[in-house]
Amino acid sequence: MRETMDRAWLAEAVELARELAHAYLIEPSEENVQFIAGAMDPQLLSLIGTGKHEFYADIASFFEGLERDQQEAQGVVFEILDEYYEPRPIGCDSCLVIGTLWVRERPDRPKPLLVEMDTRFTIVFRREGGRWLLTHLHHSTPNLDQRRDEYYPKTATEQANAALEYSKALERRAELDSMTELLNHAAFEKHVAAALIEGAEDNAFFMIDLDNFKTVNDTLGHPEGDRVIEEFADVLEQVFPRDALVGRMGGDEFAVFSTNPLSADDAEAKARELIETWCDRSAQRAVELGCSVGIVRVVRGRTFFDLYRAADQALYASKGNGKACFSW
């Protein structure tokens, strides 16, 4: 009976953690501020955030900081792209909830760049009077100066010793997706748009989406999902080693723009090679993975958004045709 109750308690803690995240980020209303206040332990609260000022030792200082944050971020609302929560019991009356939260700004009008945060967090709850109270929260974001597979971020120190190289590295880093080191969405769009202005013609534009990726996150956890994204980025660079711009558009969606003319046969050969290489690489995984591809021919006068929409429609056609295939 106690084990069943403990599982129920842990499920309550996960749900409370999710509700607090949504109240804070998605609907920052006065009602939700009161909900957050009611869920916090008035005696033991501490909070460490990602901002330089976000170190609070009591509930009063936290709400002072929250008020300033909301004033500065007035009008900014986020949408949750992905989230992951995992509970761990601590003794008989406390538990830990660890996880990740990936959010992006939801603007009321189109913007060239959107704020995006990929946060890791640890929450400590204490059981009192039949409910959980939040006693401690610590959240952090990955260090942008830390390269993949590098455990100590030496990069920032090295760059600080050479100001010019540091400046160049910052410019380049701003264009890269932090997880895969492919071009990020904004940089990919910028470079493709520049190529189109210069008269690119008869090139190919590929939109690629991983098949069954959500199942990986749901069944194997988000760390394994991150490894899948990184591994697929390596396959993309293997199949398109040169004469192509390769970008991560967000989540498990990628795009490739051939910087030289590519015949229809050659474009299809590239798509086929990508699908087969990824299927072979994924054959031993617990979740069967594939990738679907949409291809568009680049003609003079088309904009980036024209290509993006057309390739996205072709991609959905591939999904509808059974996945792990390509469509024009």
Side-chain angles (χ1 to χ4, degrees):
M1 180 66 182
R2 181 56 190 270
E3 290 181 358
T4 303
M5 185 181 296
D6 284 348
R7 286 197 294 271
W9 285 5
L10 293 175
E12 286 179 21
V14 166
E15 184 58 28
L16 178 56
R18 183 182 290 108
E19 289 176 355
L20 287 169
H22 286 228
Y24 179 73
L25 289 166
I26 305 303
E27 297 180 14
S29 62
E30 180 61 33
E31 180 181 354
N32 279 335
V33 169
Q34 293 303 317
F35 167 71
I36 293 171
M40 290 181 165
D41 191 323
Q43 305 299 323
L44 300 175
L45 179 74
S46 56
L47 186 147
I48 302 173
T50 58
K52 292 183 178 180
H53 63 286
E54 292 180 311
F55 190 103
Y56 305 114
D58 55 65
I59 196 168
S61 60
F62 165 71
F63 278 101
E64 287 177 8
L66 178 61
E67 183 177 359
R68 291 194 297 270
D69 287 345
Q70 290 183 335
Q71 288 174 352
E72 291 184 8
Q74 194 164 10
V76 178
V77 180
F78 290 97
E79 58 181 342
I80 293 180
L81 301 179
D82 206 354
E83 55 188 333
Y84 169 67
Y85 304 84
E86 180 178 329
R88 305 270 180 89
I90 309 174
C92 61
D93 64 350
S94 297
C95 79
L96 196 69
V97 176
I98 62 173
T100 65
L101 191 62
W102 180 20
V103 301
R104 181 172 58 198
E105 182 182 358
R106 187 177 65 203
D108 56 2
R109 59 182 184 277
K111 295 175 65 176
L113 292 174
L114 299 178
V115 175
E116 188 171 310
M117 295 185 294
D118 186 8
T119 304
R120 283 86 169 116
F121 59 82
T122 302
I123 306 175
V124 179
F125 290 110
R126 181 175 65 84
R127 193 78 178 177
E128 182 180 279
R131 68 189 188 109
W132 289 112
L133 291 176
L134 188 154
T135 63
H136 180 70
L137 167 64
H138 185 187
H139 63 105
S140 63
T141 57
N143 190 326
L144 288 177
D145 292 312
Q146 190 170 14
R147 296 169 179 158
R148 192 194 307 175
D149 299 327
E150 180 182 63
Y151 288 86
Y152 179 79
K154 300 183 291 293
T155 311
T157 304
E158 293 167 353
Q159 291 174 338
N161 291 329
L164 182 58
E165 290 190 10
Y166 182 57
S167 177
K168 291 179 181 178
L170 287 176
E171 292 175 7
R172 178 60 179 163
R173 190 177 68 193
E175 293 193 330
L176 298 182
D177 173 69
S178 61
M179 182 182 295
T180 64
E181 298 181 10
L182 301 177
L183 291 173
N184 61 34
H185 189 137
F188 181 82
E189 179 182 331
K190 180 185 74 172
H191 288 295
V192 172
L196 295 174
I197 291 173
E198 292 172 3
E201 193 170 7
D202 293 329
N203 306 53
F205 188 105
F206 303 80
M207 284 292 296
I208 306 127
D209 187 82
L210 298 185
D211 300 328
N212 305 321
F213 177 71
K214 187 175 185 300
T215 305
V216 175
N217 280 342
D218 291 347
T219 61
L220 303 179
H222 286 234
E224 180 62 23
D226 289 350
R227 282 190 286 273
V228 168
I229 292 291
E230 292 172 359
E231 189 172 343
F232 186 70
D234 292 339
V235 170
L236 278 172
E237 292 185 313
Q238 174 187 332
V239 175
F240 298 94
R242 49 187 188 279
D243 298 334
L245 299 169
V246 184
R248 182 185 179 202
M249 309 306 283
D252 62 327
E253 188 176 74
F254 300 81
V256 177
F257 179 84
S258 67
T259 51
N260 287 333
L262 204 62
S263 70
D265 287 344
D266 288 341
E268 291 184 0
K270 282 290 186 183
R272 194 174 294 110
E273 180 186 357
L274 175 63
I275 293 167
E276 292 175 355
T277 301
W278 179 240
C279 287
D280 290 344
R281 183 79 71 91
S282 304
Q284 304 304 316
R285 290 187 180 278
V287 175
E288 183 179 350
L289 292 170
C291 65
S292 298
V293 183
I295 317 173
V296 171
R297 167 70 59 198
V298 177
V299 297
R300 189 176 296 274
R302 300 189 85 176
T303 67
F304 172 84
F305 294 105
D306 294 333
L307 298 174
Y308 188 99
R309 282 192 294 267
D312 198 47
Q313 289 174 356
L315 172 61
Y316 274 95
S318 296
K319 292 284 190 183
N321 290 333
K323 303 179 180 179
C325 63
F326 63 85
S327 303
W328 287 87

